[in-house]
């Protein structure tokens, strides 16, 4: 589907909350873009609706190119849960595109973390909050625990918090707040 500045929020950001959306930033004059197009299209099509392909012509939509920092094309960004979850620039092999799509459509960092904690029984205090999507409660508990933890446990708690930051995204207010607080507690 062709996406414009007027339809981007609806067709990409909002739609990615239900189904991952891959956005191909391209231009008609770009030979590498024409090389990537069939590879990307076939890889998305082979996933039978588990991912959607959107195309943005950067010449017709320069504000979108600026918004997403497009400096070279083809540039591909994968959106999941309303934000960029992965990206690459340049022509990729089918195997490279498949690996990108597999990462985008697979479980997120937070989903993998929750499954791991449920299976291991580790950190049971945060399993409930994570399952409910209450990241702030989980981060607050982890931060309180890291202060008095031994080195091994401290490293594990830091790793769990970093995985939660990845899940939330760099710009999320909780990530910014708790990343600073974690740094203060550790150093």
């Amino acid at each position: 589907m062709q996406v414009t500045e007027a339809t981007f929020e609806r067709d990409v950001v909002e739609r990615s909350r239900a189904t991952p959306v891959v956005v191909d930033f391209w231009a008609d004059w770009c030979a590498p873009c024409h090389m990537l197009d069939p590879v990307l299209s076939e890889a998305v099509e082979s996933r039978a609706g588990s991912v959607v392909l959107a195309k943005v012509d950067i010449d017709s939509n320069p504000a979108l190119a600026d918004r997403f920092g497009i400096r070279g094309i083809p540039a591909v960004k994968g959106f999941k849960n309303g934000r960029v979850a992965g990206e690459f620039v340049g022509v990729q092999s089918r195997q490279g595109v498949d690996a990108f799509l597999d990462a985008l459509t697979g479980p997120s960092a937070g989903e993998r973390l929750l499954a791991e904690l449920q299976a291991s029984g580790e950190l049971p205090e945060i399993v409930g909050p994570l399952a409910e999507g209450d990241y702030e409660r989980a981060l607050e508990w982890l931060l309180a625990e890291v202060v008095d933890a031994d080195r091994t446990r401290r490293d594990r708690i830091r790793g769990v918090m970093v995985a939660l930051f990845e899940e939330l995204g760099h710009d999320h207010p909780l990530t910014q707040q708790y990343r600073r607080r974690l740094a203060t507690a550790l150093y």
Side-chain angles (χ1 to χ4, degrees), residues 103 106-118 166-167:
S108 68
E111 292 164 339
R112 287 189 306 272
L113 176 64
L114 179 58
E116 175 188 329
L117 294 176
Q118 287 171 327
E166 182 183 329
E167 175 74 6

Side-chain angles (χ1 to χ4, degrees), residues 54-78:
K55 298 182 68 61
V56 174
D57 180 341
I58 64 165
D59 290 334
S60 301
N61 300 281
L64 286 175
D66 287 343
R67 176 178 169 187
F68 291 102
I70 305 302
R71 301 291 175 255
I73 54 174
V76 176
K77 296 188 183 282

Side-chain angles (χ1 to χ4, degrees), residues 93-166:
S93 67
R94 175 63 189 256
Q95 293 82 6
V97 171
D98 283 338
F100 172 78
L101 294 175
D102 290 345
L104 183 64
T105 57
S108 68
E111 292 164 339
R112 287 189 306 272
L113 176 64
L114 179 58
E116 175 188 329
L117 294 176
Q118 287 171 327
S120 71
E122 183 184 17
L123 304 173
E125 299 84 354
I126 67 167
V127 170
L130 290 179
E132 297 166 7
D134 188 349
Y135 292 100
E136 185 168 16
R137 198 166 94 208
L139 288 166
E140 193 62 41
W141 186 88
L142 289 163
L143 189 63
E145 285 293 304
V146 80
V147 174
D148 295 322
D150 64 36
R151 182 175 180 86
T152 302
R153 184 161 169 83
R154 180 180 279 223
D155 287 344
R156 176 61 175 148
I157 291 170
R158 183 191 60 74
V160 168
M161 291 181 77
V162 168
L164 294 177
F165 299 154
E166 182 183 329

